[in-house]
Amino acid sequence: MVRSEVGSVLPTRPVPYIDSDNRAFWTGGEAGRLMVTRCRACATWCHPPAPVCRSCRSSDVAPEPVGGRGTVMTFTVNVQPWQPEADPYVIAWVQLHESEGLVLTSNVVEVDADDVRIGMEVEVVFEKHPEHDVWYP
């Protein structure tokens, strides 16, 4: 279990499968950077990470840092106690400021679930997995 800044107990997060396409996304938090794949041919942001651009099909893609700021597009409060001590937590789609359509699915933390709203401005923070070199945005 992880305790958030507002005191809620969050469920233990599963360890993601790390490969060459998503490594920068899951490890960039160590340096405080949210890394998102971008196509060098057409400049389209590609998230989730993939080896080929979904827009132009170029394989010339690479991770780039983004500002980590965005707007809550929609969200849900998970109240299902998947782990006995876990409190309700927020799962949101966050539209990143870099590009229309660049959406990150994440938790909203450091805010009480009752205070989260559509249109709310948010900024990334990272949570390190206690046993692995993974930083959850």
Side-chain angles (χ1 to χ4, degrees):
M1 294 291 178
V2 174
R3 189 164 297 281
S4 79
E5 292 295 317
V6 294
S8 296
V9 176
L10 302 174
T12 304
R13 300 174 192 274
V15 179
Y17 173 76
I18 306 291
D19 62 21
S20 60
D21 296 325
N22 68 21
R23 181 173 311 285
F25 177 79
W26 291 115
T27 62
E30 180 177 21
R33 298 186 308 181
L34 180 59
M35 303 295 290
V36 178
T37 301
R38 191 171 196 185
C39 179
R40 293 179 178 163
C42 73
T44 297
W45 293 100
C46 307
H47 186 76
V52 175
C53 175
R54 292 169 183 85
S55 182
C56 74
R57 302 291 184 218
S58 171
S59 60
D60 190 9
V61 297
E64 290 185 18
V66 295
R69 298 185 62 82
T71 305
V72 173
M73 295 173 56
T74 192
F75 68 96
T76 188
V77 179
N78 184 74
V79 295
Q80 173 66 38
W82 298 107
Q83 295 172 338
E85 298 84 23
D87 292 333
Y89 59 94
V90 177
I91 304 167
W93 279 356
V94 176
Q95 167 76 52
L96 297 177
H97 289 294
E98 278 70 18
S99 178
E100 177 109 9
L102 179 55
V103 177
L104 178 67
T105 301
S106 189
N107 296 118
V108 177
V109 297
E110 300 181 4
V111 176
D112 190 82
D114 291 336
D115 294 333
V116 177
R117 300 284 180 259
I118 292 174
M120 178 180 185
E121 294 295 313
V122 293
E123 183 173 11
V124 70
V125 295
F126 295 96
E127 175 191 315
K128 186 185 184 309
H129 189 283
E131 299 170 6
H132 300 276
D133 289 332
V134 169
W135 285 259
Y136 301 97

